Structures are given as structure tokens and as C-alpha cells.
Amino acid sequence: MRPKKRPKNDIQGVLTPPPAQNSNGPAHPTREGGLVRVRIDLSYDGTDFAGWAMQPGQRTVQGVVEDALSTVLRQSRVPLTCAGRTDAGVHARRQVAHADLPNEVYDDAAPHLLRGLSGVLPRDVRIREIREAPDGFDARFSALSRRYAYRVADTDYGVDPLRRRDVLWYRHALDLDDMNMAAATLLGEHDFAAFCRRREGASTVRSLTRLDWSRGADDAIAVATIVADAFCHSMVRSLVGALLAVGEGQRPVQWPREVLAGAVRLPDVHVVAAHGLTLEEVSYPPDTELAARAELTRRRRELTTP
């Protein structure tokens, strides 16, 4: 069932775009103010996308999802803010975004919105859940942590063809014990400038709470689990690249820590391919703490490195 049409002078034009994704974003809207914030949980295969963020002339996740929302809601563009802007080729099992919609538009569409979006989205993007967000929710700033996984096959034969889009083939056998010893030295709050591509005025201080390697039921695949409060550009893929060098015996266990301490990006820290990386989960505090968390995160992000 399609949403009923509205007169052109009714709701059209209400969706004035809020500040762009790289801004601090608007305060949480209220129903009394005429807007409702919705939380969107989605998954995507990043292979054929130029990343999350809108780019002129490029196919992006944000662009595709915003187009779908506009089509189903019969509105002008519906701007999205996400928890973490993934790079070109990076996948997401559970990305989180939010959008602010006029009350009447959302209330009319809500019963059939998920099914309607499923019908217009391409097969490499799925919205898993869309619902009214609790007070104080901000997909980006309310998040406590992001969890990524990087998958590597170190077998002689390469990668199972069915996993070629999300697993990197590494042509050397890996010693996960050495990699985990090296990874443990990187945990904590540090300036990760040596593992990030700097952006003018942006801090590279992050709190890394988990970084370890394991093999699951499929012994052919080694999986790195990486959790931090946030990540700067290329941080995860640079960390993985440094640990792979340790795992194959090219570098000693203490080398990644030495690189970190140097706080200078080195050309011999390899940034691994994007397709092995998946955003697995974004964690949030209890509903009563969402607004406070968003405010705290905003204040921290305003700090810059010397």
C-alpha cells in the first residue's frame, strides 16, 4: 500500500536539510516541534559503493538510502547522519543512521515503511529496522563504541569464492600468537596519528578497547576484532597491516608499539585492502544516557591535537 499523496503546500519543503554529516548536527528534534527522529539499522555490501558519504557523480550508500527514503515517503531528499562513515569497499553488518521526519509523514508511512524501502532498495543494501528513536539519540555522537572485523585467509589456495568479497587473501602463513602479543601493546587511549590519515583540525586521539585475532570454525580465516570509541581515517586498516607484518615474521612483536609511539605516519605501515573490513556493531548507552553521551562526545571532538 503506497502512502497517500499530500497537497504540495502541506508537507513539501519541511525537510530542510540539517547541517551536513561532518558538522555537529542538529539538536534532537521533538514531536512538539513537528519532527520525529527515526533510527535506521542497515547492512550493505560495500563492493560497488564509493563509501558511505555522498560524493558528486559517485554511487554511495548514503545517496542510495536517501533516494529510497525520498521515493517511499514522497519527499524531497531526507538527509541521513550515520554512526561511522565507511570507506569505499568497506561493508557493514549493522550500520546505524538517523533521519528527522515531519510527524505526519512518519506516522502515515510507519506501518509499511520497512517493506516499502525493501522494495525500492538495491540488493546490496538492506534496511533491517527503522523505528522512532528515543529522546536524545544521535546515531553519531551518542555511540559508545564501534566494532569492526577484518577477515584474512592465509591458505595456499586463497579465498573461498563465496567469501571473496569480504575476505583478504594473504599469501603468507600467520602466527596469531605473535599478532595478539603485538596487538595488546596498542590497547588504551593513545594518539593514533601513526595509523591515521590526518585531517586538518581533527584529533587522532582514540580509545582502543579491543584488538585481537582468532580463528573460528573455519580455520582458514583469521579474524581481527577491533573496538574503539571511534576511528580516524584508515586507522583500522593500518593497524591490521602492521599486525600482518608481525604475523608473517617480517617485523618483530614490538614494532607496532614503536610505530605508535613515534606518532608519525610511516610509508612501511601498509594500509590493507578495504574489502576485508566490516562494521559489525555500534553500541549505545541506555536510553536515559543518550543525550549526555552525545554532549560529551561533541565536546571531545572539538578538541584538536597540537
Side-chain angles (χ1 to χ4, degrees), residues 11-201:
I11 298 298
Q12 300 296 329
V14 174
L15 290 179
T16 302
Q21 174 73 33
N22 62 357
S23 72
N24 283 348
H28 192 282
T30 62
R31 283 241 178 211
E32 292 75 13
L35 291 176
V36 56
R37 176 159 292 182
V38 295
R39 170 175 168 163
I40 302 167
D41 290 53
L42 65 155
S43 304
Y44 47 87
D45 177 342
T47 304
D48 298 323
F49 288 104
W52 166 271
M54 295 277 287
Q55 301 175 56
Q58 298 289 325
R59 183 176 188 258
T60 66
V61 181
Q62 182 182 7
V64 164
V65 176
E66 288 185 3
D67 285 346
L69 284 166
S70 296
T71 298
V72 173
L73 297 174
R74 298 182 181 180
Q75 296 291 299
S76 57
R77 183 160 295 280
V78 180
L80 294 175
T81 297
C82 74
R85 289 176 291 178
T86 50
D87 292 338
V90 176
H91 317 292
R93 195 176 312 278
R94 203 85 187 197
Q95 172 73 275
V96 181
H98 75 247
D100 298 332
L101 304 173
N103 293 344
E104 294 180 44
V105 170
Y106 176 71
D107 290 342
D108 284 355
H112 52 79
L113 184 53
L114 186 60
R115 184 177 293 275
L117 289 167
S118 298
V120 300
L121 282 167
R123 289 186 296 175
D124 51 0
V125 185
R126 292 290 94 183
I127 291 179
R128 303 164 66 107
E129 189 174 6
I130 182 166
R131 64 188 186 277
E132 186 169 347
D135 289 343
F137 178 81
D138 184 294
R140 180 185 179 194
F141 289 108
S142 294
L144 290 173
S145 64
R146 287 86 172 161
R147 176 169 62 87
Y148 281 87
Y150 197 96
R151 295 175 172 86
V152 181
D154 59 348
T155 59
D156 291 337
Y157 63 81
V159 179
D160 182 329
L162 299 182
R163 300 299 304 274
R164 68 191 186 280
R165 286 176 174 255
D166 73 331
V167 178
L168 174 76
W169 181 30
Y170 203 71
R171 297 167 185 261
H172 304 277
L174 297 171
D175 185 328
L176 267 57
D177 290 337
D178 281 355
M179 294 165 74
N180 281 325
M181 284 191 288
T185 68
L186 303 173
L187 296 176
E189 186 174 74
H190 307 288
D191 184 348
F192 283 92
F195 295 101
C196 296
R197 291 180 179 171
R198 282 190 178 275
R199 293 169 52 196
E200 187 66 30

Side-chain angles (χ1 to χ4, degrees), residues 285-296:
D287 291 354
T288 55
E289 300 173 18
L290 288 167
R293 173 65 186 181
E295 180 60 28
L296 176 62

